[in-house]
Amino acid sequence: MQKSIDQALSKLNWDDLRYFLEVARTQRASGAAKRLGVDYTTVARRIRVLEDALGTLLFDKSRSGGFTLTAEGQRLVAYADAMETTVQSACDQVANTSHALSGHVRVGSTEGFGCFFLAPQLAHFQAVHPNVAIDLLPVPHFVSLTKREADLAITIEKPDRGPYVCTKLCDYRLKLYATREYLARHEPVRSADDLPGHAFISYVDDLAFSSELLYLERTVPGATAALRSTSVIAQYFAALQGGGLAILPCFIAGQQPLLVPVLPDEVIVTRCFWLYCREDLRKLRRITALWDYLRAAAEGNRALLMGESGTINFIQG
């Protein structure tokens, strides 16, 4: 047994584990190739070499299902992932002790917050730390930290399980908005009783990625959505065209002078964002710096997030 293990180790190219991890995370050789900056054939070849070295099949491969981990592959993932994190930590501690922050960080977030708040904030952070490469993923769904789709995540639901470090990032408010032109063309809105007679812009209920987004019916009983979208940004632009009333985050609509709040003291929805990352990444210097920066940026923009100001503020990175 020891001889067979030694033979496998002697044939093993440790760099092949990088390719293995990316395929395991994306479940596609083509997806792994894009993330690694190589072509499909290189990824497929490195996986075959790794399987030959270990003498076992790591993936079940099919055109429709892609690359699905076998039982042996699932066991290897845990070890390879731990090795990757250890190498990252070692490089971080050794290479950055006397130099500026460097490395790569991928940040996943909800779509609206990512585009309207995080993007400008991260641009300022990156200007101060030019050696830190940042990928921002503002998407209308949850990202998986387990699959390494992101290193940091900002979401509207607190993760209920997993090896994560999590903190509440901030509260934020949503209010009802419309253009002045829309309000001038339609029946006046003097109280909540007038709202059901108006057209609304909202989410596609059965496609919303979180029940936290289904606030229209709870906030305005009897409201009818004439235009629906899975994207809050699409709702924002539809509202800008005078397509109806929309419940929008204040950090989005509050920065746009063409939109005005409707019944601002009556129609208010309060939600919160959670910031979290994997425990094994939390102590990386670049992760710590960005984590602290995002918390400071949220604190420095409390007025914008809560609908008390239409101005975004920036802090020093």
Side-chain angles (χ1 to χ4, degrees):
M1 173 65 73
Q2 184 60 47
K3 182 177 180 180
S4 64
I5 293 175
D6 290 341
Q7 289 175 339
L9 289 174
S10 67
K11 296 166 60 180
L12 182 65
N13 182 340
W14 297 104
D15 194 47
D16 290 338
L17 291 173
R18 283 198 310 124
Y19 290 79
F20 165 73
L21 280 174
E22 291 301 338
V23 174
R25 290 162 183 163
T26 62
Q27 298 184 330
R28 299 279 178 181
S30 57
K34 289 180 181 179
R35 292 179 64 166
L36 291 166
V38 298
D39 57 39
Y40 172 92
T41 55
T42 298
V43 173
R45 176 175 56 81
R46 298 295 285 265
I47 295 300
R48 286 196 303 270
V49 170
L50 180 60
E51 290 178 331
D52 290 343
L54 296 175
T56 189
L57 191 66
L58 300 173
F59 295 98
D60 290 321
K61 310 169 188 71
S62 69
R63 289 184 179 275
S64 59
F67 283 60
T68 304
L69 286 167
T70 62
E72 291 78 11
Q74 290 174 352
R75 285 195 288 270
L76 181 60
V77 162
Y79 293 105
D81 190 71
M83 290 171 59
E84 181 185 62
T85 300
T86 299
V87 170
Q88 287 182 342
S89 298
C91 291
D92 184 72
Q93 293 300 317
V94 173
N96 284 329
T97 51
S98 59
H99 297 85
L101 290 179
S102 64
H104 175 254
V105 182
R106 179 168 285 183
V107 182
S109 83
T110 56
E111 184 187 30
F113 194 63
C115 291
F116 284 82
F117 186 82
L118 288 183
Q121 297 292 342
L122 291 176
H124 280 256
F125 177 87
Q126 211 275 329
V128 177
H129 303 289
N131 294 323
V132 178
I134 300 175
D135 292 345
L136 175 60
L137 283 63
V139 291
H141 58 77
F142 295 115
V143 297
S144 172
L145 299 193
T146 303
K147 295 181 179 180
R148 291 291 181 97
E149 293 176 349
D151 302 309
L152 289 174
I154 298 173
T155 185
I156 55 178
E157 292 185 14
K158 182 180 181 180
D160 56 1
R161 61 182 180 277
Y164 305 129
V165 177
C166 181
T167 186
K168 181 178 176 180
L169 181 62
C170 61
D171 287 321
Y172 70 99
R173 285 178 180 158
L174 305 96
K175 294 184 179 182
L176 189 61
Y177 290 91
T179 61
R180 291 181 176 83
E181 289 75 11
Y182 172 89
L183 295 173
R185 294 196 315 267
H186 295 81
E187 292 296 318
V189 180
R190 299 186 180 90
S191 71
D193 294 335
D194 298 321
L195 292 176
H198 287 261
F200 282 81
I201 301 164
S202 188
Y203 283 95
V204 183
D205 289 1
D206 59 323
L207 295 180
F209 70 90
S210 169
S211 61
E212 292 292 311
L213 302 173
L214 305 180
Y215 31 68
L216 177 59
E217 180 57 33
R218 304 171 197 164
T219 307
V220 187
T224 301
L227 175 60
R228 302 190 299 169
S229 174
T230 56
S231 166
V232 69
I233 296 178
Q235 296 171 39
Y236 164 74
F237 280 110
L240 270 178
Q241 297 304 310
L245 303 170
I247 297 178
L248 298 169
C250 297
F251 60 79
I252 295 180
Q255 297 187 67
Q256 174 53 258
L258 296 178
L259 290 172
V260 296
V262 178
L263 302 179
D265 297 325
E266 296 182 52
V267 183
I268 301 174
V269 178
T270 302
R271 292 288 187 269
C272 70
F273 284 120
W274 298 91
L275 171 66
Y276 65 106
C277 73
R278 289 176 23 158
E279 289 177 345
D280 52 6
L281 299 180
R282 179 64 180 87
K283 293 183 180 180
L284 293 178
R285 292 180 65 230
R286 61 184 181 274
I287 297 292
T288 297
L290 186 53
W291 178 286
D292 293 342
Y293 179 84
L294 292 175
R295 295 195 67 183
E299 179 62 29
N301 282 278
R302 185 185 181 282
L304 173 68
L305 295 166
M306 298 301 285
E308 298 164 0
S309 168
T311 302
I312 188 169
N313 298 317
F314 301 100
I315 64 170
Q316 294 297 319

